Amino acid sequence: MNNKTYNAFETAQKQFDRAADLLELDQATRDLLRNPLREFHFSIPIRMDDGSMKVFKGFRVQHNDARGPAKGGIRFHPQETIDTVRALSMWMKWKTAVADIPLGGGKGGVICDPHNLSLTEQECICRGWARQISKNVGSHSDVPAPDVMTNAQHMLWILDEFETIKGAKDPGFITGKPVGMGGSLGRKEATGYGVMITVREALKVLNINPENTTASIQGFGNVAQFAIELFQQMGGTVKCVSCWDQEDHTSYSYKKENGINLKELLSITDSFGGINQTKAKQLGFEILPGDAWLEQDVDILVPAALENQITAENVEKISDQVKIIAEGANGPTTPEADKVLDKKGIFIIPDFLANAGGVTCSYFEQVQSNMNYFWTKDEVLGKLDVKMTAAFIAVNDFAKSNNLNMRDAAYVISVDRVAQACKDRGWV
Ligand code: NAD
């Protein structure tokens, strides 16, 4: 999508530096929070289905665990880099802090493309990942979860290998497990619903009735699908969705001026959130270039695919009609583009606030797994709404009373919470 190569970790560090300046943090605290506490790089040798051996590169980064065990997903992606994992782990530490849950920030990944791997090969990668890192993770130190191109089955394989090594059951070690195997009801909905709970609150602030509002979304995976579900329940219309094509693996935007039918679109979508273009045409979707989702005349934009998607190169294409951008993805906006959005007066719900629903529900899952007692879906989603609404209101109130935008306010609150935990522990 973008000609320029962006480094997500540089983006994350620039965002942190701005918050550190606003908080006038001392040098030692800056040095501690700007870089990961610990990181692990390892090789995962796998016997492929054809009998050959292949070695995959894996990572786990624990950015900070002053407020509780490191927490964050494991991403399988062919373009995964250590800097992406560092950035994502840093954003996780701000996310758990802004949601005010007793966890730190971590992230993991494997450079691989599950599209080209059999299920057996994927299982071997999961088990290999667990074998390499088992000494350094656990329910009281670092708790992984799914992320892009990993799912509940991957988590269960990792848990099974981990428990086999430890010789004991420890379901609180990992979240995003299948329901019935230690997973929480509501987890699959949590991130997307959380995004739309923050949109609902932002609409209240802007005095806009959600009914008759329109949205355009990048991504049609776990986050986007459930964000669309709740948005439609709120009375909104989604006009455009951008995601990967199942065949040529490039992105396209799929548009219906009168609104997409979620069930219809899901019927031609694979488990990776990719759409079958031929079937989309048959269903009457207009097919546009991958970044056309950004140029739509809608009230709300939700980037829910990958980082660095709204950049200095394309930010001016955003319609004057757009009032809210809710960042479902992690780091979808570069700092340069962010400045332009700020000038345009668009209400930004920053990533680590907007998409905190996933980790909040993961925390609920960990609590339930540790207790070995599970809540109903309504109970989980009710608690999620309470947490997300409280986090949104805290950031919005702080922004108003300190004349800050939402991103700066969210950063100042969370950096301050993590810095304070480090100080209280005597680390700085
Ligand atoms: P997913 O793998 O389920 O879906 C990703 C979607 O993005 C797919 O529809 C894919 O086709 C699309 N996509 C990928 N590259 C694209 C491109 N260049 N243009 C358009 N579409 C593209 O992933 P997900 O779980 O929905 O996560 C999406 C984002 O949200 C990621 O940034 C992830 O880190 C973040 N996030 C996810 C969760 C969660 O609980 N799943 C929680 C917090 C944050």
Side-chain angles (χ1 to χ4, degrees):
M1 180 173 187
N2 306 310
N3 300 328
K4 193 173 154 187
T5 308
Y6 288 92
N7 181 311
F9 189 43
E10 282 172 16
T11 299
Q13 288 189 317
K14 272 189 201 163
Q15 291 166 338
F16 165 71
D17 290 343
R18 189 173 156 79
D21 289 346
L22 286 166
L23 280 161
E24 297 178 2
L25 286 187
D26 59 78
Q27 194 55 46
T29 309
R30 285 173 194 248
D31 291 345
L32 185 67
L33 298 186
R34 204 169 187 274
N35 288 295
L37 265 185
R38 287 170 224 107
E39 55 184 54
F40 305 91
H41 302 221
F42 41 89
S43 299
I44 308 171
I46 299 298
R47 186 167 301 284
M48 306 297 281
D49 290 351
D50 65 5
S52 66
M53 288 302 289
K54 199 166 171 186
V55 180
F56 293 87
K57 185 103 196 112
F59 307 107
R60 185 72 184 170
V61 174
Q62 295 163 354
H63 217 288
N64 193 284
D65 55 11
R67 287 173 43 88
K71 182 87 192 84
I74 305 163
R75 183 179 283 194
F76 284 0
H77 201 279
Q79 270 99 45
E80 189 68 294
T81 66
I82 184 62
D83 270 353
T84 314
V85 183
R86 286 176 179 138
L88 290 164
S89 67
M90 193 174 191
W91 287 322
M92 282 306 297
K93 95 177 157 185
W94 309 139
K95 199 179 299 190
T96 52
V98 84
D100 207 10
I101 51 181
L103 295 168
K107 205 82 183 188
V110 178
I111 305 174
C112 69
D113 188 349
H115 290 100
N116 306 326
L117 295 165
S118 71
L119 279 181
T120 313
E121 290 163 344
Q122 291 180 45
E123 177 177 352
C124 290
I125 292 179
C126 288
R127 292 186 184 279
W129 192 90
R131 280 197 298 277
Q132 293 303 326
I133 198 71
S134 65
K135 283 195 230 47
N136 306 100
V137 291
S139 48
H140 298 289
S141 55
D142 182 358
V143 182
D147 196 79
V148 173
M149 288 204 267
T150 54
N151 57 34
Q153 177 62 74
H154 295 112
M155 297 307 108
L156 194 57
W157 285 326
I158 292 173
L159 175 68
D160 186 67
E161 192 69 21
F162 179 80
E163 289 181 338
T164 305
I165 294 165
K166 298 285 169 188
K169 298 294 171 207
D170 189 7
F173 153 63
I174 205 161
T175 61
K177 303 179 289 292
V179 172
M181 291 298 291
S184 175
L185 291 166
R187 176 61 187 88
K188 69 179 191 316
E189 291 88 351
T191 310
Y193 276 22
V195 171
M196 281 304 156
I197 291 168
T198 62
V199 167
R200 182 193 70 202
E201 295 305 309
L203 287 168
K204 278 186 203 161
V205 171
L206 300 177
N207 218 1
I208 300 172
N209 185 342
E211 277 176 34
N212 308 324
T213 54
T214 53
S216 177
I217 314 236
Q218 188 192 35
F220 195 59
N222 173 258
V223 178
Q225 291 172 12
F226 287 100
I228 294 171
E229 185 172 280
L230 188 59
F231 183 61
Q232 292 184 336
Q233 283 170 21
M234 284 157 50
T237 302
V238 176
K239 285 189 173 186
C240 186
V241 163
S242 165
C243 66
W244 276 44
D245 177 68
Q246 284 166 9
E247 275 146 33
D248 68 10
H249 292 192
T250 50
S251 62
Y252 296 93
S253 300
Y254 301 85
K255 182 175 177 184
K256 275 204 180 174
E257 187 57 35
N258 294 330
I260 65 154
N261 176 322
L262 181 59
K263 272 197 188 143
E264 191 180 67
L265 199 54
L266 283 171
S267 72
I268 54 165
T269 305
D270 65 18
S271 60
F272 298 108
I275 286 180
N276 182 308
Q277 211 186 118
T278 317
K279 290 185 182 161
K281 265 186 207 149
Q282 285 162 1
L283 290 173
F285 281 90
E286 193 182 337
I287 306 200
L288 301 169
D291 50 5
W293 71 279
L294 188 85
E295 305 168 17
Q296 303 302 310
D297 288 325
V298 289
D299 304 305
I300 301 155
L301 291 179
V302 182
L306 290 175
E307 53 282 343
N308 295 325
Q309 298 301 304
I310 304 178
T311 67
E313 286 77 45
N314 63 18
V315 65
E316 296 292 355
K317 293 181 182 168
I318 292 177
S319 158
D320 288 339
Q321 193 188 318
V322 173
K323 295 165 195 78
I324 296 173
I325 298 182
E327 296 180 332
N330 291 309
T333 311
T334 66
E336 297 76 25
D338 203 29
K339 281 187 199 146
V340 179
L341 296 175
D342 206 29
K343 273 199 196 129
K344 277 177 176 259
I346 297 178
F347 192 105
I348 308 290
I349 310 173
D351 48 4
F352 63 95
L353 171 62
N355 68 32
V359 74
T360 302
C361 193
S362 281
Y363 164 58
F364 295 158
E365 177 178 333
Q366 206 197 2
V367 171
Q368 295 170 82
S369 284
N370 289 342
M371 289 191 303
N372 207 5
Y373 175 75
F374 290 84
W375 309 333
T376 64
K377 186 171 168 185
D378 282 352
E379 226 174 325
V380 174
L381 294 178
K383 287 183 203 293
L384 178 74
D385 201 326
V386 170
K387 270 285 188 198
M388 292 300 295
T389 305
F392 179 93
I393 291 173
V395 173
N396 186 54
D397 287 353
F398 190 83
K400 273 193 188 145
S401 51
N402 292 281
N403 200 20
L404 294 173
N405 64 33
M406 287 290 282
R407 193 185 308 280
D408 285 344
Y411 260 104
V412 169
I413 289 176
S414 42
V415 171
D416 191 42
R417 283 180 183 160
V418 179
Q420 194 56 50
C422 293
K423 278 194 204 321
D424 290 348
R425 285 179 180 273
W427 291 359
V428 279

